[in-house]
Amino acid sequence: MEKLIYEGKSKSIYSGNTPNTLRVHYKNTLTAFDGKKTASKQGKGALNAETSHLIYDYLSNHGIKTHLVEKIDEVNFIVKECQVIPIEIIARNIAAGSFSKKYGIPEGIPLKNVSLEFSLKSDELGDPMINSSQILAIGTATEEELKFMEKTTLKINELLIDLFKKAKITLVDFKLEFGRHNGEIILCDEISGDSCRLWDIETGKKLDKDVFRRDLGDVLKGYAEVLERLKKII
Ligand code: TMP
Ligand code: ASP
């Protein structure tokens, strides 16, 4: 019997029918600002599931270990059960969002190197930014795990920049999560318009969740556009 084991903001997780796997259900809910702004949009779960599936497949074909086992229908994945490390890693190529606000760098300025930052995954605390020394002090991850996550995030950044460039999209920034599985660190969660900033390479038009965060129009139009472009090149 399946059992709901975690109800997230955009996904629900069920214990799987086979050992060591889980079923992830992509919901139609969109949230922003730690869940303070929410909406439900028909078709959102399916768009994100398909986009994330394409991207995870691409990464896996390029040597990145991920939790994905298979996509079983429009909105459901079977994934390897892993112990999620409660840290979000954000990689930035171009100033935007909280980085621009915090450091007074206008949106759209290219960064001189990839900026990596960590947040502690906690809705209650509002996902506070945390540095590596603090992570080690609390014991959320080991030094070796942190180094591996940083190195892998940089590799994923290169792979995604390449992929999106072929789709005429600029990868501005994105967020990743990792988990422990059989003694390894693997990529978990999703990669989609919910977790990346994606701008049209020519016009700069936003194709990601900022459209929802900032009330700029129909967010799903951008998500569908990204998916269509990826499908043509993958
Ligand atoms: P930020 O500029 O708001 O810090 O966001 C940086 C990137 O991380 C952006 O692509 C959106 C993504 N992100 C998430 O996926 N989840 C989150 O909870 C936050 C804060 C950001
Ligand atoms: N804070 C995240 C965002 O703005 C998600 C959320 O809070 O639900 O994208």
Side-chain angles (χ1 to χ4, degrees), residues 120 130 133-141:
L120 188 65
I130 188 165
S133 164
Q134 292 166 319
I135 291 171
L136 298 180
I138 298 172
T140 315

Side-chain angles (χ1 to χ4, degrees), residues 9 33-34 88-92 96-100 102 107 117 119 123 126-127 172-177 189-190 192-198 208-210 213-214:
K9 286 179 293 197
F33 314 120
D34 296 326
E88 300 186 343
I89 302 195
I90 292 170
R92 302 175 191 270
S98 68
F99 187 95
S100 289
K102 208 176 288 166
E107 283 209 333
E117 70 192 57
S119 300
D123 280 340
D127 293 349
V172 176
D173 56 32
F174 61 96
K175 183 264 308 177
L176 298 179
E177 293 178 29
D189 202 45
E190 72 180 274
S192 68
D194 268 12
S195 63
C196 305
R197 281 198 175 88
L198 302 168
D208 57 66
K209 194 154 91 173
D210 272 347
R213 293 189 189 98
R214 303 177 190 187

